[in-house]
Amino acid sequence: MFWDRHLPTLNAAGAALLAREFWTPYPEVPSGKIYGETARDDGLASYQALLNKPFDIAGHPETARIGAEISPYGDALGITYPAAEPQALINAANKIADAFAASDVKIRIGALLETLARLNAQSFLMGNAVMNTTGQAFPMAFQAGGPHAQDRALEAVAAAWAEMQRFPAQAVWEKPQGKQAPLRLEKHWTLIPSGLSLAIGCNTFPTWNSFPGIFASLATGNPVIIKPHPSAVLPLALAVKTLREVFVEAGLPADAVLLAVDSVDAPIADKLATHSDIKLIDYTGSNAFGDWLRGNAVQAKLFTEEAGINTITIAGTDNFLAMVDNLAFALSLYSGQMCTAPQNIYIPEGGIETDEGHKSFDDVAKGLADAIDRLVADPARAAAICGAIANPATLSRVEKARSLGRIIRDSAPLDYKNSATPLLIAVEAGDEATKHEWFGPIMFVIPAKDGDAAIQTASSLARKKGAITAALYDTNEPRIQRAAIAFARGGVNLSVNLTGNIFVNQSAAFSDFHVTGANPAGNACLTDTAFVASRFHHAMWRRPVAE
């Protein structure tokens, strides 16, 4: 049923993966003309109806209720979720693992596509859930938490389907034997899932970062235990509820998807991750826990996205105003709380050539500061761009960063709780602070000998410390080509001369490979073939062909 209904979407997604052009079945504009005239009000009402109540997930293992989410905008959600001990969740997943592995691939894929269609219809509800658990402003929460996360999930499903269809399920093997009769064998291959999968979610992008691994594992027949960040449970709980409901309708076991809720004081990610039955782990978060997983979760295949130091190199421009305006938005978006947000800005110490004439190092830095000031001058626009700070530790980090160098532009709160505009600090080349990630609205302006030296420093930093994005502004085509090679060797995606309504911290499903997996910022890529093909294996049985 679901397979036939959504086959056109699956085929289109597969074609988009190969073409790498723009395509999406999930509109990113929160418009009543697209989602229904009452969708915005209905979504808000649905979100409010969940507050201060137990969150029900039918049939889910439960020995306790846990929930302590507080919106970065100030209010406690008051929602409690079904919780169970790690071993109970493992037992529930193991109980249905064989049946789920043996299920028809088309039934699994169809159910996942139906889930995405239903989640898309709930995008306003999800937008409110993401906004009030992450601090994203509603426009971003709707897009990133809803349609863009759904895009990435569909991308993973389409890639998994393509990989599972790459080789035939059976074949006749015939080997000539000269004058004798040929050897003939019939061979049959079965797709074998790797085992139980664990998805460890993050606070800032709970669905966008987690959906690809969740949907890739489910598509390939692996039950998934989803461990949300304690501060951002609701978005993934909504996804778990929807997945389980659709699976029941499709005749699949509901316990193929389980929610593992914990608290800051009593975490369970370590217990789940090191369990011998967990064979796949998708993780987004700090290098510290990533290192811990590599050292301790040795029984599992890890797919990670971790911290990195994203850079901007400004070597020249033919449109200075458009450049600084574009960068002001990139630096302000969600107050720098994105894995793709820029941190280190390299500028030649002798300045750059622009359409407005020569600009000194200080001129360029001031131009960036002025552009940010213009962008956040209107309170409503500033709130819609900057959002709120998800973790109080980020505000403490901003305070600490003020002492690291010469302040070009100071951070300041907006007119609501837990907010901070970008902090621009000028530091010396090679300053130790610039060799580490400062998560949040903290950016360093750093002098370089010249444009080539800036490119070399930025690309080398990506190779050694990790980076997900890099930006370059330049008018020298040979140097742009040298930069493309240098950043590729650093394993980081490069954006050149972006202006207008496209920004370095945006990543497009079906076209952009998010994270290369080629530097310390992550070992997995959304979504290449390795991301999905590593989740299953081929087992064969064979016998002579009956004569």
Side-chain angles (χ1 to χ4, degrees):
M1 175 179 66
F2 293 146
W3 170 261
D4 292 335
R5 180 183 303 172
H6 298 294
L7 182 58
T9 298
L10 180 63
N11 288 337
L17 280 176
L18 297 177
R20 314 311 296 182
E21 297 172 350
F22 173 79
W23 178 80
T24 177
Y26 309 125
E28 67 176 6
V29 181
S31 169
K33 294 180 180 179
I34 298 171
Y35 288 93
E37 294 300 331
T38 65
R40 181 181 292 272
D41 291 340
D42 292 345
L44 177 59
S46 295
Y47 166 73
Q48 291 172 336
L50 296 172
L51 301 178
N52 302 307
K53 295 177 182 176
F55 188 93
D56 179 56
I57 302 177
H60 194 280
E62 179 180 342
T63 56
R65 282 266 155 184
I66 294 177
E69 295 159 293
I70 298 176
S71 172
Y73 293 100
D75 296 326
L77 273 61
I79 304 173
T80 59
Y81 303 91
E85 291 297 317
Q87 188 60 55
L89 296 171
I90 295 286
N91 291 344
N94 275 331
K95 187 175 181 180
I96 57 82
D98 288 345
F100 192 56
S103 62
D104 189 297
V105 174
K106 290 183 178 180
I107 293 177
R108 291 202 305 267
I109 298 291
L112 293 173
L113 297 175
E114 173 66 16
T115 298
L116 289 173
R118 295 188 190 185
L119 287 173
N120 181 248
Q122 300 172 34
S123 290
F124 280 94
L125 166 59
M126 186 66 78
N128 282 284
V130 170
M131 175 183 175
N132 286 288
T133 53
T134 69
Q136 294 177 30
F138 183 79
M140 171 181 273
F142 177 90
Q143 291 182 344
H148 291 177
Q150 296 148 18
D151 279 339
R152 283 295 183 189
L154 176 57
E155 179 183 54
V157 171
W161 169 251
E163 286 306 303
M164 288 188 289
Q165 301 304 305
R166 182 175 295 278
F167 303 111
Q170 60 186 53
V172 173
W173 180 84
E174 183 171 308
K175 181 179 180 180
Q177 296 290 297
K179 295 181 179 180
Q180 300 180 22
L183 297 176
R184 301 184 71 221
L185 296 175
E186 60 173 276
K187 299 186 177 184
H188 304 260
W189 289 273
T190 302
L191 301 182
I192 306 298
S194 294
L196 303 191
S197 181
L198 172 65
I200 303 175
C202 66
N203 188 176
T204 49
F205 286 89
T207 56
W208 198 98
N209 279 109
S210 294
F211 273 12
I214 292 168
F215 279 77
S217 282
L218 292 172
T220 50
N222 304 281
V224 180
I225 298 172
I226 301 172
K227 211 301 290 181
H229 190 283
S231 297
V233 179
L234 182 57
L236 288 174
L238 289 168
V240 168
K241 183 180 177 71
T242 304
L243 278 162
R244 289 171 62 91
E245 289 172 349
V246 174
F247 276 20
V248 169
E249 293 178 36
L252 296 169
D255 281 350
V257 190
L258 294 159
L259 188 67
V261 185
D262 63 359
S263 66
V264 173
D265 296 330
I268 62 172
D270 56 343
K271 297 179 180 66
L272 286 166
T274 54
H275 196 286
S276 59
D277 290 347
I278 294 293
K279 301 302 182 184
L280 301 167
I281 299 176
D282 289 277
Y283 167 69
T284 301
S286 70
N287 296 112
F289 193 63
D291 288 340
W292 188 91
L293 288 170
R294 277 181 285 276
N296 293 276
V298 294
Q299 85 292 344
K301 170 76 173 177
L302 292 177
F303 302 87
T304 71
E305 180 185 318
E306 301 171 57
I309 304 170
N310 303 317
T311 63
I312 299 168
T313 299
I314 302 176
T317 179
D318 58 8
N319 194 333
F320 185 79
L321 182 61
M323 177 188 75
V324 295
D325 282 346
N326 182 275
L327 289 177
F329 188 93
L331 297 172
S332 302
L333 188 59
Y334 189 29
S335 299
Q337 299 170 102
M338 303 176 69
C339 60
T340 53
Q343 175 180 297
N344 289 7
I345 305 170
Y346 295 96
I347 304 169
E349 60 189 7
I352 64 170
E353 299 305 318
T354 80
D355 59 312
E356 299 178 6
H358 183 80
K359 298 277 189 181
S360 68
F361 175 91
D362 284 345
D363 290 337
V364 178
K366 185 176 185 302
L368 289 169
D370 290 345
I372 294 171
D373 287 342
R374 291 194 298 272
L375 185 69
V376 302
D378 177 71
R381 181 171 63 178
I385 295 169
C386 297
I389 301 297
N391 191 324
T394 302
L395 292 174
S396 299
R397 198 176 299 118
V398 172
E399 183 61 32
K400 181 179 179 181
R402 285 191 171 97
S403 64
L404 296 176
R406 175 168 58 96
I407 294 177
I408 302 295
R409 183 193 185 278
D410 202 358
S411 176
L414 298 169
D415 59 359
Y416 54 89
K417 189 176 181 179
N418 296 326
S419 59
T421 60
L423 172 67
L424 292 185
I425 310 166
V427 298
E428 296 301 318
D431 191 297
E432 188 62 26
T434 67
K435 301 176 184 178
H436 307 280
E437 184 190 48
W438 290 74
F439 187 75
I442 302 163
M443 295 86 192
F444 300 106
V445 185
I446 308 160
K449 180 181 177 181
D450 54 30
D452 277 298
I455 291 165
Q456 179 60 34
T457 298
S459 60
S460 296
L461 188 65
R463 185 168 58 252
K464 295 174 183 177
K465 296 290 186 176
I468 295 175
T469 61
L472 170 68
Y473 288 85
D474 204 351
T475 56
N476 184 314
E477 186 60 30
R479 190 163 56 202
I480 290 173
Q481 296 304 315
R482 293 195 296 273
I485 294 171
F487 283 102
R489 288 174 177 166
V492 60
N493 296 316
L494 177 66
S495 298
V496 181
N497 292 334
L498 296 186
T499 57
N501 199 32
I502 183 69
F503 308 97
V504 65
N505 32 10
Q506 294 175 325
S507 177
F510 304 103
S511 185
D512 296 333
F513 291 105
H514 176 72
V515 188
T516 64
N519 69 50
N523 72 354
C525 175
L526 306 181
T527 304
D528 62 6
T529 53
F531 186 76
V532 295
S534 301
R535 299 172 193 263
F536 68 93
H537 311 277
H538 296 85
M540 178 187 71
W541 69 273
R542 62 184 180 175
R543 65 184 175 187
V545 174
E547 297 297 335

